[in-house]
Amino acid sequence: MSLRNRVVNMVQDTLCRSKDFQLQDSDSLLENGVVDSLGMLELVKVLDTRFHVTVEDDELSPENLDSIESLTAYLRRKGVEE
Amino acid sequence: MTGPQPLPYPNLASLVLDFPAPSADRCALSHLEDAITYAELRAYVLAMAARLRSIGIQNGDRVALLVENSPEYVISLFAVLALGATAIPLNPETSSGAVRVVLDDCAARGCIVRERTRTRIDPDSSLPVVALLANSFAANRLSLSSKAATEPPAPPKPDSLALLLYTSGTTGRPKGVMLTHANLLANTASIVEYLGLRAGDSTVNVLPFFHSFGNSVLLTHLAVGGSIYIENRFTYPSKVVETLQKVRPTGFAGVPATFYILLHRTPFLQREWSFLRYISQAGGGMRVETIQRLRQAMPATRIYIMYGQTEASARLSYLAPELLEDHAGSIGKAIPGVEIRVVDASGNETAPGQVGELIARGANVMAGYWNDPAATAEAIRDGWLYTGDMARRDADGFLYIVSRKSDFIKSASYRISPVEIEEVIASLGGIEDVAAIGVPDSLLGEAIAACVVCPHERFDAEAIRSQCLAQLPMFKVPRYILRVAEIPRTPSGKKKYYVLRERYQDLEGSSL
């Protein structure tokens, strides 16, 4: 499974109430109500358990985490393979 | 008891409709690139009120607000209030089923909701909508600006219901806290007085307006002609630090988690904060260590520790900043206009140092719970609000919260009924018994742990978590899901939550 699809699955499993995932890859998770502060804490935890990636404090930013696209690119930069 | 200086407003709507002339060109609200003066806010509120009136909303009706913090939230709230109707602010993440329960409970006319929120929580459009807002403020502003100027409707009476704020009930069924215009004005006047708020004050607000704390930040600033910058990006806390540094407000309010996250997950300590005249904290006890770090980071800033309840409009007590050192851990004394006592089971005042229930009375105490005389009679006795919080008073009269009488979970400043979570988990097959408890958590105050009794081979923590995610908002989803041999119960069958709380008080430090 591609990294992008694994990210979609993670976001669905962690944050979404329904499996009916309508967002585009570039859509903001925050603006679309997919993630809030507590959800972000969960997401950071799951990034660690599923991808073994520790999100540093200065990486907790929309540029890294606020869409499927930015999450996928962030994980690639952190060395996660496709 | 000394009361606060009353505000020169007969009802809440007049905070926005009858502001003093010098406020007209002052910034009332800003959000990202948008800014709204008091004169503009008044015009938009009147236009929105006219729109609601045109579809039949009138004095005495109830209207739910399903809008995140935004200029539109404030405009919608005051439009409803201006009509003499009652607003029911709800978390816009609430599922359509839970919204329906509230609408049915209070026979509301419908919701004000944004298009994208409706698409998300109510894709079948099953909820009644009285106003559908566009996604962008630019579009809503244009629409409201195009309305011809209208005169204010007849002013609401001070004792009429302004807000119904729904909180968790002990049975899991939400309870509507009835707050009148007079309740909220009294509490607003008191907070304005002890914080020393004035027209030049400003704040960056990260607290939800649908919650009594955020609501009080909104009302107090509008009452003095202050300015509120709405910041919804606390999910990325460094953005909030950036905003604070850019906006340079005179005040900032948060719950314990707000300050904990700012201190531990942002460059907060490397910044300079002398522009902040004060910060205020409520929504659960904050660790003394966090208070000390804040004092070191912002030595020129006054730190107010506050305590209250939705049932008291928001606030009941505060600890004056100059007393922080000598009374660490205290919630201070009653705010102006409020009396507080600590009483035993017979209703007699306890001696200093002895623990009893904290009770309070004042013009800010709710009118009762909507359509629930039994719960109202339980909470308000002889004019006193029984808070359910156990406290002691020291020899100097300073109050300390010791524990909660009830089994509510207090997480991230939300009061959560265990029953609600238990019902969701119990609806899964194979669950024999379940109890949800709060366990100490340095960030949230309490994190939720679900203790589940079921056969080993049927225990599936992921399935339980998915069920909770599907049916509950994120703040009610358990962090820990534990399989236990049994739920301890009293001889009469009541769950002994305190036994579980004690057993699992160190979960945070464990490897779970």
Side-chain angles (χ1 to χ4, degrees):
Chain A
M1 189 188 291
S2 71
L3 180 58
R4 180 260 174 202
N5 287 350
R6 285 157 65 201
V7 168
V8 170
N9 282 352
M10 174 190 67
V11 170
Q12 281 181 338
D13 294 347
T14 312
L15 304 171
C16 294
R17 301 227 184 94
S18 77
K19 298 294 175 193
D20 189 15
F21 195 66
Q22 301 281 1
L23 293 185
Q24 302 295 312
D25 282 12
S26 59
D27 284 349
S28 162
L29 299 178
L30 179 62
E31 282 177 21
N32 285 284
V34 177
V35 70
D36 61 6
S37 304
L38 290 180
M40 184 51 66
L41 294 177
E42 290 300 318
L43 192 66
V44 166
K45 204 170 73 178
V46 173
L47 284 170
D48 189 8
T49 53
R50 285 202 194 182
F51 295 99
H52 308 294
V53 165
T54 304
V55 181
E56 302 297 338
D57 291 346
D58 59 0
E59 295 173 337
L60 194 61
S61 68
E63 291 75 20
N64 290 329
L65 307 172
D66 199 37
S67 66
I68 299 297
E69 205 169 61
S70 58
L71 270 165
T72 308
Y74 170 71
L75 289 175
R76 278 197 196 107
R77 286 199 298 280
K78 297 289 275 188
V80 179
E81 293 178 2
E82 287 290 333
Chain B
M1 178 188 67
T2 316
Q5 181 73 29
L7 296 169
Y9 297 108
N11 59 66
L12 281 182
S14 62
L15 301 186
V16 166
L17 300 182
D18 305 325
F19 56 79
S23 290
D25 295 327
R26 285 198 191 117
C27 176
L29 301 170
S30 40
H31 178 224
L32 300 174
E33 303 307 315
D34 299 311
I36 303 173
T37 65
Y38 275 84
E40 289 172 314
L41 180 58
R42 180 180 190 275
Y44 297 150
V45 166
L46 288 176
M48 185 71 179
R51 181 172 157 187
L52 293 174
R53 189 163 45 185
S54 72
I55 59 160
I57 303 296
Q58 58 183 350
N59 194 305
D61 282 344
R62 286 163 296 284
V63 176
L65 306 182
L66 273 167
V67 185
E68 80 289 354
N69 281 12
S70 56
E72 291 96 322
Y73 175 95
V74 182
I75 292 165
S76 302
L77 169 69
F78 281 93
V80 171
L81 296 175
L83 290 170
T86 303
I88 308 153
L90 298 174
N91 185 339
E93 298 307 312
T94 310
S95 67
S96 59
V99 173
R100 170 71 64 186
V101 168
V102 168
L103 297 183
D104 289 349
D105 184 62
C106 65
R109 292 287 304 271
C111 317
I112 299 176
V113 64
R114 206 184 279 283
E115 284 170 357
R116 67 166 173 256
T117 307
R118 187 193 208 189
T119 306
R120 186 172 67 247
I121 68 165
D122 185 29
D124 305 330
S125 301
S126 63
L127 294 172
V129 169
V130 296
L132 188 61
L133 302 171
N135 288 337
S136 78
F137 179 59
N140 291 317
R141 183 175 215 165
L142 195 65
S143 158
L144 291 169
S145 302
S146 66
K147 298 273 186 302
T150 53
E151 284 306 303
K157 294 195 172 73
D159 61 353
S160 63
L161 280 190
L163 298 182
L164 261 181
L165 293 179
Y166 274 82
T167 68
S168 278
T170 45
T171 59
R173 191 176 77 86
K175 287 193 291 192
V177 173
M178 299 192 291
L179 297 172
T180 66
H181 287 259
N183 290 153
L184 289 152
L185 282 172
N187 210 225
T188 300
S190 187
I191 299 168
V192 163
E193 185 163 302
Y194 74 73
L195 288 181
L197 289 177
R198 46 191 182 258
D201 274 314
S202 56
T203 191
V204 167
N205 179 69
V206 297
L207 300 165
F209 289 147
F210 60 79
H211 194 279
S212 62
F213 190 7
N215 181 60
S216 75
V217 171
L218 175 65
L219 297 184
T220 50
H221 282 78
L222 293 177
V224 297
S227 178
I228 302 156
Y229 185 97
I230 297 168
E231 173 54 88
N232 293 341
R233 294 173 297 175
F234 199 77
T235 304
Y236 305 107
S238 294
K239 290 282 172 201
V240 176
V241 173
E242 274 176 34
T243 301
L244 285 165
Q245 290 287 326
K246 189 181 86 180
V247 176
R248 298 175 73 80
T250 58
F252 180 69
V255 297
T258 313
F259 296 109
Y260 185 91
I261 291 172
L262 288 176
L263 285 170
H264 291 87
R265 307 212 67 157
T266 74
F268 190 86
L269 292 171
Q270 283 87 58
R271 300 290 186 269
E272 199 276 320
W273 297 105
S274 60
F275 55 84
L276 276 171
R277 180 169 65 77
Y278 76 93
I279 58 172
S280 61
Q281 176 266 318
M286 188 154 75
R287 293 164 135 199
V288 173
E289 178 247 337
T290 305
I291 298 172
Q292 284 167 346
R293 293 192 73 176
L294 286 169
R295 292 193 69 187
Q296 286 161 7
M298 36 183 34
T301 302
R302 291 166 67 76
I303 300 176
Y304 288 85
I305 303 298
M306 318 190 298
Y307 162 81
Q309 273 197 339
T310 303
E311 285 84 345
S313 297
R315 214 50 58 221
L316 284 168
S317 80
Y318 81 104
L319 180 65
E322 57 275 16
L323 301 171
L324 205 53
E325 188 88 353
D326 293 338
H327 299 277
S330 171
I331 56 162
K333 294 183 176 182
I335 62 171
V338 166
E339 281 180 88
I340 291 180
R341 286 182 184 168
V342 179
V343 299
D344 61 22
S346 310
N348 300 315
E349 214 158 352
T350 57
Q354 284 191 337
V355 175
E357 185 169 358
L358 191 152
I359 66 173
R361 72 176 173 189
N364 56 324
V365 170
M366 66 168 178
Y369 294 112
W370 177 265
N371 206 16
D372 197 341
T376 302
E378 177 70 23
I380 301 177
R381 291 173 242 162
D382 297 328
W384 290 85
L385 170 69
Y386 281 67
T387 63
D389 285 327
M390 304 304 283
R392 64 182 169 82
R393 194 193 285 273
D394 70 14
D396 298 323
F398 288 88
L399 297 156
Y400 296 79
I401 297 293
V402 177
S403 67
R404 279 194 313 283
K405 195 175 169 188
S406 69
D407 292 311
F408 283 116
I409 300 161
K410 185 115 189 203
S411 184
S413 90
Y414 291 104
R415 188 169 64 174
I416 301 163
S417 161
V419 179
E420 221 178 326
I421 300 164
E422 290 162 5
E423 284 176 353
V424 168
I425 295 175
S427 67
L428 274 170
I431 305 292
E432 293 168 10
D433 204 358
V434 56
I437 56 169
V439 294
D441 183 85
S442 49
L443 180 61
L444 304 173
E446 287 185 342
I448 302 168
C451 304
V452 177
V453 181
C454 75
H456 178 70
E457 65 279 7
R458 297 202 65 171
F459 179 67
D460 183 347
E462 272 312 303
I464 293 172
R465 189 180 148 68
S466 297
Q467 175 85 345
C468 291
L469 262 175
Q471 296 190 27
L472 296 167
M474 183 60 88
F475 67 90
K476 293 180 183 171
V477 175
R479 159 96 53 89
Y480 307 101
I481 296 167
L482 314 167
R483 194 173 79 85
V484 299
E486 62 165 0
I487 304 297
R489 289 178 180 271
T490 64
S492 61
K494 283 189 173 173
K495 291 174 189 172
K496 293 204 273 193
Y497 290 99
Y498 65 92
V499 173
L500 293 168
R501 278 201 296 265
E502 202 173 307
R503 189 182 301 164
Y504 295 112
Q505 60 182 314
D506 292 323
L507 274 186
E508 189 179 18
S510 74
S511 57
L512 276 169

